[in-house]
Amino acid sequence: MQTRVLRRQIRDLCDTAIDALAMERSIKPIKQQIKMIRNDLEELERSIDKNAEYEGLIWKEPSGYKVEGTVIGLCKHCDREVFSGQKFPDPKEEGLFCNYYCRRVYRNNSIK
């Protein structure tokens, strides 16, 4: 039940942010509130017993593909956007790749 309340709050804040953008007002404080509620929601979902039935979604670890940050380029293999806060990208490498899989596949293809 608590997960539904938090999700509803996030939806309401997103609607408020859209309205604020339409009126050309700053949405920075709204984004901060959304971030805090998302953190609370993640902690709640992690703490709930995996085998118990509850109202909400099962917690999954973030994939690491799209995270916060600025776009630093496109993946050399699949042309997805690569963000500065991602887990795997290393701009100092020979190319920019969104994850380990794309890096490995690109290298295997270039060797052949």
Side-chain angles (χ1 to χ4, degrees):
M1 184 68 168
Q2 194 175 3
T3 57
R4 284 187 180 184
V5 171
L6 292 174
R7 289 180 194 284
R8 181 67 195 170
Q9 288 176 352
I10 291 172
R11 282 194 301 273
D12 291 342
L13 285 171
C14 288
D15 290 341
T16 305
I18 291 169
D19 293 340
L21 283 174
M23 292 185 281
E24 298 179 1
R25 293 190 350 221
S26 173
I27 61 168
K28 202 170 196 175
I30 299 170
K31 288 171 78 174
Q32 290 293 335
Q33 285 180 310
I34 291 173
K35 193 172 186 178
M36 288 178 7
I37 293 173
R38 278 192 181 149
N39 289 339
D40 293 343
L41 182 62
E42 285 180 6
E43 285 182 27
L44 178 65
E45 288 180 342
R46 276 190 207 136
S47 67
I48 295 174
D49 184 16
K50 300 271 187 230
N51 296 326
E53 288 188 28
Y54 70 99
E55 298 172 7
L57 299 174
I58 301 293
W59 165 256
K60 288 190 332 188
E61 282 295 323
S63 67
Y65 166 63
K66 187 170 183 179
V67 294
E68 291 183 6
T70 58
V71 176
I72 56 175
L74 297 176
C75 177
K76 199 169 183 176
H77 177 67
C78 68
D79 292 331
R80 287 188 207 166
E81 291 179 333
V82 179
F83 295 84
S84 61
Q86 269 178 253
K87 190 174 181 180
F88 294 109
D90 185 3
K92 297 176 185 131
E93 252 189 334
E94 64 215 38
L96 190 61
F97 299 96
C98 64
N99 59 30
Y100 178 76
Y101 173 77
C102 282
R103 185 181 298 125
R104 186 178 44 150
V105 169
Y106 183 84
R107 288 187 182 147
N108 287 344
N109 288 343
S110 64
I111 291 171
K112 291 179 182 176

